[in-house]
Amino acid sequence: MAVQHKAYQYRIFPNKQQQTFMAQSFGCSRFVFNHFLEKIKNRDEENQKTLQVNAFKNELKSMKTDYVWLKLVDSISLQASIEHLNDAMVRFFKKQNKFPQFKSRKHPVKSYTTKSVNGNIKVTETHIKLPKVGWIRYANSRPIPDSAVIKHVVVRQNAAGKFFVSINVKEEVKKRDKTNQTIGLDMGLTHFVIDSNGNKINNERYFQSLEKKLAKAQRSLSRKQKFSNNWHKQKKKIATIHEKVVNKRKDFQHKLSSELVQQYDVIAIEDLSISDMLKDKSYSKSIHDASWSEFATMLTYKCDWYGKELVKVGKHFPSTQICSSCKQKHPIIKDTSIRVWTCPTCQTNHDRDINAAVNILEEGMHLSTVGATGIA
């Protein structure tokens, strides 16, 4: 057993009064974030590096005199906005992301964060209690364990107008039993995953399946008067189609990643450079649709939760060019149009993707051994 951070996301159904309060909270959190970001931008570069979170929080208290409407919402959510800004600046100076931008009130996705203090957040089988909001009915898709400790909650409204909560908890996660099985995965477009056992899992192309419906909805939007009631209704219809695509893809990837983590102790995958691959415009839409990076993220945290090992093979490893039988490299196989080939050295017939998956597994096991023993 190990203590892990996990998140439980549920759809909630607030009443009109609660929706109004949430809209106020979204706006106030955005205002506080933008207010202090403006102060940071006006400083010189050296002073920007020394963010004084506590000083900002003290200033926030005095701001409530000038902006009385800040008192209407949960004070913890306003402090959380300052902490989010601080985290964004820290990541910027570590060169992990760009300089934070102002939050727009026109952004279709809105959110605020509140923390669990003295039992102010409670969850039953049918309702969730949030600070200053009260009890809200929710869709209980999976229960939170009684032993889990609630740390904070993110309240979010998506582009389709639906409300969700993400309840972040600390809980003890039981490690999965060892299976003594290993597997290598090659990511593809025709098939989403090809494994070293010769199995191929189809790429359902969720965006492509709804692309015509989406294009029709967008044409309808273009014919409506901008910002009219019908325009806003059509915008929500478009957002609902996008939401359906995301939900289908996530459901598929969650089920597949959970199955792999349950069956295998070591999983080897390629550390793909997605940003470079997206530069090829002929494949960029299909790569976006496949969402390999999201799948790799799921494998990463699930392996961490359940005591399994995920090994990422370097992006420059020529997995497709090496014969998995005799280990000879054949650069001509770099041509992606060659799907089946025969090794000139040992005369072994290869399926391009299965051969790559076998090579990824062998390289992954080598890297795993080097990591465990410290051999350079």
Side-chain angles (χ1 to χ4, degrees), residues 7-24:
Y8 292 81
Q9 180 171 284
Y10 305 105
R11 185 176 176 187
I12 56 175
F13 305 93
N15 58 35
K16 292 291 183 183
Q17 185 179 355
Q18 290 170 335
Q19 288 181 29
T20 301
F21 175 83
M22 289 177 182
Q24 291 173 335

Side-chain angles (χ1 to χ4, degrees), residues 17-66:
Q17 185 179 355
Q18 290 170 335
Q19 288 181 29
T20 301
F21 175 83
M22 289 177 182
Q24 291 173 335
S25 299
F26 297 147
C28 290
S29 295
R30 181 182 61 248
F31 173 80
V32 168
F33 183 94
N34 290 344
H35 175 82
F36 288 105
L37 177 57
E38 179 68 28
K39 292 179 74 73
I40 292 171
K41 289 187 75 171
N42 291 334
R43 294 176 174 181
D44 57 67
E45 186 175 342
E46 191 60 35
N47 286 331
Q48 284 180 359
K49 293 182 181 181
T50 55
L51 259 184
Q52 297 177 338
V53 179
N54 291 331
F56 281 175
K57 287 183 178 180
N58 290 332
E59 186 178 338
L60 177 62
K61 295 178 183 177
S62 61
M63 282 175 60
K64 292 181 180 180
T65 305
D66 298 326

Side-chain angles (χ1 to χ4, degrees), residues 45 56 62 85 97 105-106 115 144 162 171 199 233 240-241 281 289 292 295 302 305 309 328 337:
E45 186 175 342
F56 281 175
S62 61
L85 176 58
N97 61 4
R105 62 187 298 271
K106 295 181 181 179
K115 295 180 180 179
I144 299 176
K162 298 175 183 177
E171 67 171 272
N199 301 311
K233 287 179 183 177
T240 301
I241 296 173
K281 299 303 179 184
D289 196 7
W292 294 326
F295 181 67
K302 288 180 182 181
W305 285 351
E309 184 178 4
Q328 291 297 311
S337 64

